[in-house]
Amino acid sequence: MAADRPVAGPAGLADERVDHRFKALPPDAEGLTVGALAAERRNLFTGGFTTPVLALSAESVEHNLALLETYAQRHGLVFAPHGKTSMSPQLFARQLEHGAWGITAAVPHQARVYRAYGIQRIFLANELVDAAALRWLAGELDADPDFRFVCYVDSVRGVELMDEALRAARASRPVDVVVELGAGEGARTGARTEADCAAVAEAVAAAGSLRLVGVAGYEGEVPEASGERVRDWLRRLVALAAAFDAQGRFAALDAGEPIMISAGGSAWFDAVADVFAEIPELSRPVCKLLRSGAYVSHDDGHYRHLTPFNRVPEEGALQPAFRLWAQVVSRPTAEQAFLNAGKRDAAYDLDLPEAQVVRSGRDGSVRAASGVEVTKLSDQHAWVETAEGAELEVGDWVGMGLSHPCTSFDKWQLIPLVQADGTVTDYIRTFF
């Protein structure tokens, strides 16, 4: 971190003032600091919060953090969870407390947020060719000898652009890079063949501003992914690392410094653990870096079905942590109702919200949302179909599970962290 500016740790977020910027917070809390509001320990349902309001379960978040920590330890993995899921410094801090090596980013803006909140190890799972971002990175590396940054390279042209920008910035420290192996034809980024990877590695060796420290990729983009196809690709990644090692391509590493081999989204980290356990002995130790990020909040849709813990139940189970509460604002027919939450409030890119519970607007009693189904979202309304006999009236609160955490966090800048009894213990700040 540059020596001439202060480090704002997550605790500094408590000094931010509550105002109109933050959806759903109690109007009578205007002007309080976030810390002061948290200290009041208001109840989500009776403490003045307005609907819709997104809540994050304190118990489920803690459970999920601990589960992935023990999973990584059990399988000999180093963990750098993808921060783009939440973009929350408070959750980053909790992940680091639970053993994370660092935090993964996708774009320069995310890395800047991480640095603003003191993250000392960043893995950028992308090729970084933006000259302005590279100037910023060079300044961060020059100013802080303890800051570790690693990013992808997947093309000779990308290496040339990085080297040009870093030389122009007069960077004093080389940028650590890993060659990205693409997950196959039709996949996302990454060099498509081992020969292409070798050409990129040669370009890195010729660029004085870069240092090759390993190989990486993302198995979630394997076309027509299955356990077998994903493991086949992961074995290609391991073989690439072994070949590079045999060819002496990691000679720039310091004595005893490990070779980095990285993969792992939230859908196939069991396959990553299996194949990384097969890594042969190399000339140096190996840093087996897992990057799963969606586990913190998990979800009630996409990841609920894809989680590796479904395939290996003895490893444990993640818990969905999000619940979006909205109010019934219209009940025009016996078969139809409308809630005051829509696309601006709920993730909808993969699955619609799932109605789970109803809290009576009359007496606060809670019951299962039997016969209540969200069928469509407008900008600010959820369309609900109700079966015959379903109990639902204007004023009731409906609690919904959400699919895809990556597009849930980005709609809310300050999210109540709520205990099972409704007590709000903290507010999770996000930066998207």
Side-chain angles (χ1 to χ4, degrees):
M1 186 72 63
D4 60 350
R5 58 186 172 87
V7 177
L13 296 171
D15 298 327
E16 194 162 15
R17 294 287 171 179
V18 173
D19 57 27
H20 61 276
R21 293 171 296 163
F22 304 119
K23 296 192 293 186
L25 298 192
D28 66 356
E30 179 93 11
L32 292 177
T33 65
V34 173
L37 180 57
E40 292 184 357
R41 297 178 69 85
R42 297 197 186 194
N43 185 279
L44 186 73
F45 308 107
T46 62
F49 293 85
T50 63
T51 56
V53 56
L54 181 64
L56 194 61
S57 164
E59 293 88 352
S60 293
V61 167
E62 181 58 33
H63 168 86
N64 294 342
L65 288 168
L67 186 64
L68 257 290
E69 177 185 19
T70 57
Y71 182 89
Q73 291 172 346
R74 188 180 307 124
H75 292 281
L77 302 171
V78 175
F79 196 36
H82 214 313
K84 56 95 176 174
T85 302
S86 71
M87 287 304 295
S88 169
Q90 291 143 295
L91 294 180
F92 299 160
R94 297 293 291 122
Q95 289 170 314
L96 293 169
E97 288 169 6
H98 279 271
W101 171 90
I103 307 293
T104 295
V107 293
H109 158 70
Q110 294 167 1
R112 289 186 63 203
V113 172
Y114 298 1
R115 288 298 286 159
Y117 288 92
I119 303 301
Q120 285 293 90
R121 290 174 177 167
I122 298 173
F123 185 103
L124 184 75
N126 234 333
E127 188 167 63
L128 182 59
V129 295
D130 184 302
L134 286 162
R135 283 196 300 274
W136 168 82
L137 174 62
E140 292 291 304
L141 289 168
D142 288 351
D144 185 353
D146 294 325
F147 173 40
R148 178 83 193 277
F149 179 91
V150 183
C151 72
Y152 282 177
V153 285
D154 78 349
S155 66
V156 171
R157 177 57 178 158
V159 170
E160 292 171 348
L161 288 170
M162 291 183 73
D163 187 49
E164 178 181 313
L166 291 167
R167 287 180 183 277
R170 299 186 177 181
S172 64
R173 287 176 60 191
V175 171
D176 288 347
V177 296
V178 288
V179 173
E180 182 193 6
L181 174 66
E185 289 303 321
R188 200 163 63 187
T189 57
R192 290 300 192 250
T193 68
E194 282 74 4
D196 292 337
C197 289
V200 174
E202 289 171 7
V204 170
S209 63
L210 303 177
R211 189 176 74 133
L212 185 64
V213 300
V215 299
Y218 176 45
E219 76 290 340
E221 288 296 325
V222 170
E224 299 177 7
S226 65
E228 181 179 3
R229 292 175 67 87
V230 166
R231 285 174 173 81
D232 285 346
W233 177 82
L234 286 164
R235 291 187 177 101
R236 281 184 61 200
L237 183 68
V238 169
L240 178 66
F244 277 9
D245 185 42
Q247 294 158 8
R249 296 191 185 275
F250 300 124
L253 291 174
D254 296 334
E257 188 176 2
I259 296 165
M260 183 174 286
I261 305 178
S262 177
S266 293
W268 293 103
F269 57 75
D270 56 332
V272 174
D274 290 346
V275 175
F276 280 12
E278 303 170 359
I279 293 175
E281 185 174 350
L282 302 181
S283 65
R284 300 169 178 271
V286 175
C287 173
K288 305 173 185 180
L289 188 71
L290 182 69
R291 305 192 307 272
S292 309
Y295 77 98
V296 175
S297 61
H298 195 41
D299 76 357
D300 275 297
H302 182 70
Y303 285 107
R304 177 177 64 191
H305 302 300
L306 288 178
T307 175
F309 292 123
N310 291 344
R311 296 186 290 269
V312 194
E314 60 268 23
E315 294 275 15
L318 293 169
Q319 297 176 0
F322 273 130
R323 179 162 282 174
L324 177 65
W325 289 95
Q327 207 162 12
V328 180
V329 293
S330 180
R331 189 80 157 98
T333 72
E335 298 80 28
Q336 193 176 37
F338 290 88
L339 312 180
N340 63 344
K343 294 178 181 178
R344 299 294 177 262
D345 313 296
Y348 62 93
D349 57 322
L350 295 177
D351 297 296
L352 289 170
E354 177 185 277
Q356 296 174 333
V357 295
V358 176
R359 189 177 191 276
S360 171
R362 294 181 183 271
D363 61 15
S365 61
V366 178
R367 60 185 182 273
S370 302
V372 179
E373 180 183 5
V374 178
T375 59
K376 178 182 175 181
L377 292 180
S378 297
D379 282 354
Q380 301 291 177
H381 290 91
W383 296 57
V384 172
E385 288 185 2
T386 54
E388 184 178 354
E391 297 181 61
L392 198 65
E393 65 177 353
V394 171
D396 287 347
W397 288 38
V398 178
M400 295 172 284
L402 301 178
S403 179
H404 202 191
C406 297
T407 53
S408 296
F409 278 104
D410 66 0
K411 300 178 187 302
W412 295 82
Q413 291 182 297
L414 205 57
I415 304 170
L417 186 68
V418 185
Q419 292 180 336
D421 65 359
T423 301
V424 179
T425 61
D426 202 356
Y427 295 85
I428 301 301
R429 187 68 159 94
T430 66
F431 293 89
F432 280 95

